Amino acid sequence: MLDVKNIKKDFPIFKNHENDKKPLIYLDNAATTFKPKSVIDATSRYYLEDGANAHRGDYDLAYHVDKEVEKCRAHLASFLNCFSREIVFTSGTSMSMNLVAYGYGIKFLKEGDEILLTEAEHASNVLPWFKVSETTKAKINYIPLDEEGRCTPEALRKVITKNTKVVSIAQVTNVLGFKIDIKEMAKIAHEYGAILVCDAAQSAPHMKIDVKDLDCDFLCLSAHKMLGPTGIGALYGKFDLLKKMDPFMMGGGDNARFDMCGNVAYLEPPAKFEAGTMNIAAIYGFDEALTYLENIGLENIENHEKELRNYAINKLKELDNVIIYNEKADAGIITLNVKGVFPQDEASYLNSKGICVRSGEHCAKLLKDRLKTVGTIRVSLYLYNDKSDVDALYEALKNGGNFLDAFFN
Amino acid sequence: MLSLTNEMKREIIMEHYNSPNNKVEDITKISNFENFRKIRMDSDSCIDDITIYLDIENDVIKNAYFSGVACAISTASTDILCDMVKNKSEKDALYIISQYENMLYEKEYDSEVLEELNAFSETHKQAARIKCATLGAFGISKILNGENDE
Ligand SMILES: Cc1ncc(COP(=O)(O)O)c(C=O)c1O
């Protein structure tokens, strides 16, 4: 397992809450993650030292900012194993998905075409496709999940047809935490002439991704879920696809020239998609977040989470009052309920013990028909969690039926 | 009114959560439902999703019901409010709600009129629950202020 005591020292938020009345046990990493000091410092460094806009290279400071932005782009490209020109900065996964849906989906899909999703997708990988469907009359269908809620290549093979143009799925689903075999899915999609869009919001922070090996056509991620700042993320796209797709935001920085007769010459990707001033400070921080993850090693992170998850599952299974919905899942996500207690009541009880978890539908609204519950509690682990966090959760859940204790203490 | 101990408050909440008096599965089973005014309150930050129905005649609330799913705090507070606004004038009902909100937001309030709603006097200690405790109250006051879902 990782040396969590030392890792925690890199995250100032833990120290800043050391003297609180209750401990800070953060188990909501699927929502967002804490930031190491190196990331926070890099973000400040932009404001403290560099300060200029990007793409405005007439003076030293501006030139330096451009270099930093391109350094982060190259870093992310090597992190994912692709070319820099295939990395578009966005505000995060949601914007990346919308960019694919508008820039590719609306441009190329038409009536009779089909988009394949699953019931386990996050709203950000569903609603943009609803819009594509509404605009182009292409149909949305769902790849059936197996009994446990997993999406398999065999299931895709059963439903895919010549009309399928887009298959868009999460590599790790945010409610159940199953890891999907994207490489095999992409292969099947390509056999039928469809593209594969991969939502990597919940996978990129926790496992090594090689987009060339996966052979996905697009991949979306958010920095804030991988120790980076909020408000920055990326879209990876195969260069020929990026070239032919449209920007969905137009403006300064994305065109070479235009005239008032409506003629525009757009820049090449990725600049074509990066109109307007970006979140430059966050790009500085994102670069450091990648460095931090690489220094620890994604494989080590994945193994740490796996071990911690096993420990948690074995321990929580001892509790008769706890229902676990995804015992067999792969990622560090555990979805559960305390019998007879509404998830939100349980989550506020856990909050009174200093334990941060998410209650609710976790945006996968379509899934609730499958789990047969209106909501769940989601526990999600990361590299700064250890067995003591799981032990605290265990102790709290043991008494979880008395959830109103929180209300009267 | 007697001051309530925490134990009594807890019992009131659990009682109204576990066996609410005014919760219905299917409003169409209630006679005259076509004439009820209703509003759907689905919270943007949680899974609470309830619909409140008021049967109002000549400015008097004849009956109050709700349906849907919600946490203990939302369910119990909505159920108690439904009990309390029955057979009250719109004006009196709005007064109760205003005093209830004053209590939740730690302002001066008239605890006499709140009856069982006094069980929620500790809500401010778990500020995230204020939203739950006010879901039903907001719904009822919206209806009384003229809103009505189709
Ligand atoms: C699977 C998945 N996709 C997309 C998103 C949206 O990410 P963001 O809010 O950073 O755009 C999330 C975030 O919760 C997610 O878990």
Side-chain angles (χ1 to χ4, degrees):
Chain A
M1 300 204 75
L2 296 174
D3 179 4
V4 170
K5 269 213 179 66
N6 266 320
I7 289 180
K8 273 199 156 143
K9 288 189 197 142
D10 297 335
F11 291 77
I13 199 162
F14 291 113
K15 189 153 186 58
N16 293 339
H17 288 274
E18 227 166 44
N19 299 321
D20 287 5
K21 278 199 226 87
K22 53 187 183 189
L24 173 58
I25 299 169
Y26 188 71
L27 298 173
D28 194 17
N29 293 290
T32 198
T33 56
F34 292 160
K35 319 306 171 202
K37 184 156 189 308
S38 59
V39 169
I40 300 167
D41 286 347
T43 307
S44 308
R45 182 163 56 81
Y46 167 69
Y47 292 117
L48 292 172
E49 294 175 19
D50 294 355
N53 209 326
H55 309 314
R56 311 280 191 280
D58 295 331
Y59 45 94
D60 294 350
L61 281 181
Y63 175 75
H64 187 66
V65 169
D66 273 350
K67 269 185 53 176
E68 290 278 340
V69 168
E70 292 317 309
K71 177 166 144 269
C72 180
R73 197 190 306 278
H75 195 170
L76 183 57
S78 96
F79 190 86
L80 297 174
N81 189 29
C82 63
F83 297 109
S84 282
R85 61 173 194 269
E86 295 174 312
I87 296 288
V88 179
F89 284 122
T90 64
S91 67
T93 305
S94 300
M95 181 175 165
S96 301
M97 270 298 169
N98 276 277
L99 178 50
V100 178
Y102 278 81
Y104 185 91
I106 290 185
K107 184 165 185 189
F108 295 111
L109 268 56
K110 53 184 191 322
E111 195 165 358
D113 290 345
E114 179 193 54
I115 301 157
L116 281 177
L117 310 173
T118 79
E119 286 179 339
E121 299 312 315
H122 186 278
S124 298
N125 185 24
V126 177
L127 301 184
W129 298 114
F130 280 8
K131 193 74 200 172
V132 173
S133 169
E134 188 188 309
T135 311
T136 64
K137 305 281 181 301
K139 266 191 68 156
I140 293 177
N141 285 316
Y142 297 93
I143 309 166
L145 303 176
D146 72 9
E147 246 150 60
E148 288 173 346
R150 190 190 293 267
C151 174
T152 59
E154 295 75 54
L156 171 61
R157 206 172 265 296
K158 279 200 189 113
V159 293
I160 194 166
T161 70
K162 285 278 172 234
N163 298 327
T164 309
K165 292 292 172 328
V166 174
V167 178
S168 190
I169 42 182
Q171 187 167 24
V172 168
T173 58
N174 62 308
V175 177
L176 292 176
F178 285 111
K179 199 194 287 175
I180 309 301
D181 185 349
I182 294 293
K183 185 174 174 173
E184 190 60 27
M185 298 285 219
K187 201 170 136 224
I188 298 168
H190 294 155
E191 277 172 33
Y192 286 81
I195 61 160
L196 188 122
V197 186
C198 176
D199 175 351
Q202 298 293 353
S203 57
H206 307 280
M207 57 192 268
K208 179 89 193 108
I209 292 179
D210 178 332
V211 290
K212 288 294 176 260
D213 179 56
L214 295 177
D215 199 24
C216 55
D217 298 279
F218 293 104
L219 181 133
C220 309
L221 54 81
S222 301
H224 71 92
K225 291 187 200 279
M226 47 200 297
L227 309 181
T230 55
I232 194 75
L235 171 69
Y236 155 80
K238 285 182 180 163
F239 193 69
D240 58 321
L241 294 178
L242 289 177
K243 254 184 109 119
K244 66 183 196 180
M245 91 190 217
D246 283 342
F248 87 121
M249 230 173 69
M250 275 60 73
D254 76 345
N255 61 82
R257 70 197 117 75
F258 68 98
D259 62 30
M260 290 305 164
C261 310
N263 304 309
V264 197
Y266 283 107
L267 291 170
E268 288 278 290
K272 170 167 113 175
F273 302 105
E274 293 176 348
T277 298
M278 292 188 293
N279 191 344
I280 302 170
I283 293 175
Y284 279 49
F286 193 10
D287 193 22
E288 283 299 331
L290 297 173
T291 302
Y292 192 93
L293 291 173
E294 285 167 338
N295 285 344
I296 305 259
L298 278 143
E299 259 174 42
N300 297 332
I301 294 171
E302 195 178 2
N303 288 335
H304 174 79
E305 288 172 17
K306 209 173 263 171
E307 208 172 309
L308 195 54
R309 181 181 206 278
N310 285 341
Y311 177 77
I313 293 280
N314 285 332
K315 193 131 194 179
L316 298 178
K317 263 168 58 175
E318 290 170 19
L319 296 172
D320 290 336
N321 65 334
V322 169
I323 310 168
I324 298 172
Y325 294 96
N326 63 341
E327 194 183 323
K328 300 230 172 69
D330 317 283
I333 292 178
I334 302 170
T335 305
L336 55 85
N337 266 325
V338 172
K339 281 183 192 153
V341 183
F342 200 73
Q344 197 184 339
D345 291 323
E346 192 59 41
S348 20
Y349 174 70
L350 294 176
N351 168 54
S352 74
K353 305 278 175 206
I355 302 173
C356 313
V357 297
R358 170 96 189 266
S359 81
E361 302 163 299
H362 316 298
C363 303
K365 284 188 197 282
L366 300 161
L367 197 63
K368 79 176 178 209
D369 302 335
R370 197 162 194 97
L371 294 186
K372 308 267 184 291
T373 169
V374 290
T376 55
I377 288 178
R378 179 184 66 188
V379 173
S380 47
L381 309 166
Y382 209 14
L383 46 79
Y384 39 62
N385 293 122
D386 62 12
K387 288 183 179 166
S388 71
D389 297 331
V390 173
D391 293 343
L393 177 70
Y394 170 87
E395 288 304 325
L397 287 174
K398 203 150 81 175
N399 185 43
N402 297 325
F403 62 93
L404 278 185
D405 283 0
F407 208 65
F408 292 111
N409 280 336
Chain B
M1 176 162 192
L2 279 174
S3 70
L4 300 170
T5 63
N6 280 352
E7 219 25 66
M8 291 155 79
K9 292 176 185 172
R10 184 194 283 261
E11 270 170 34
I12 291 172
I13 295 175
M14 285 313 281
E15 175 68 23
H16 283 274
Y17 175 49
N18 288 328
S19 24
N21 302 322
N22 307 295
K23 188 171 175 192
V24 292
E25 289 302 323
D26 181 1
I27 193 72
T28 64
K29 300 241 162 73
I30 311 274
S31 66
N32 194 32
F33 77 94
E34 303 91 338
N35 296 323
F36 297 173
R37 300 191 24 197
K38 68 172 184 200
I39 191 145
R40 181 166 176 183
M41 301 293 291
D42 47 352
S43 162
D44 52 4
S45 60
C46 66
I47 39 188
D48 287 353
D49 183 359
I50 60 173
T51 302
I52 297 167
Y53 308 89
L54 295 183
D55 180 11
I56 302 173
E57 268 177 51
N58 305 324
D59 290 347
V60 174
I61 301 167
K62 290 287 177 200
N63 244 317
Y65 303 95
F66 70 103
S67 64
V69 285
C71 67
I73 305 300
S74 296
T75 304
S77 60
T78 304
D79 193 54
I80 294 171
L81 271 163
C82 286
D83 277 343
M84 286 178 61
V85 300
K86 263 183 245 181
N87 296 314
K88 296 236 163 53
S89 69
E90 294 193 18
K91 189 163 150 265
D92 289 351
L94 284 171
Y95 179 71
I96 293 171
I97 289 173
S98 70
Q99 295 312 299
Y100 178 55
E101 286 172 11
N102 283 352
M103 177 178 81
L104 296 179
Y105 292 111
E106 297 180 86
K107 295 185 197 147
E108 292 270 314
Y109 67 98
D110 176 356
S111 88
E112 288 299 309
V113 300
L114 292 185
E115 303 176 19
E116 285 189 319
L117 287 175
N118 284 298
F120 296 95
S121 61
E122 311 283 317
T123 310
H124 61 88
K125 292 188 191 158
Q126 287 253 337
R129 303 312 293 273
I130 291 178
K131 258 193 180 149
C132 316
T134 49
L135 192 69
F138 281 167
I140 293 175
S141 48
K142 275 188 168 184
I143 297 182
L144 296 179
N145 286 314
E147 285 188 44
N148 189 15
D149 287 352
E150 284 315 310

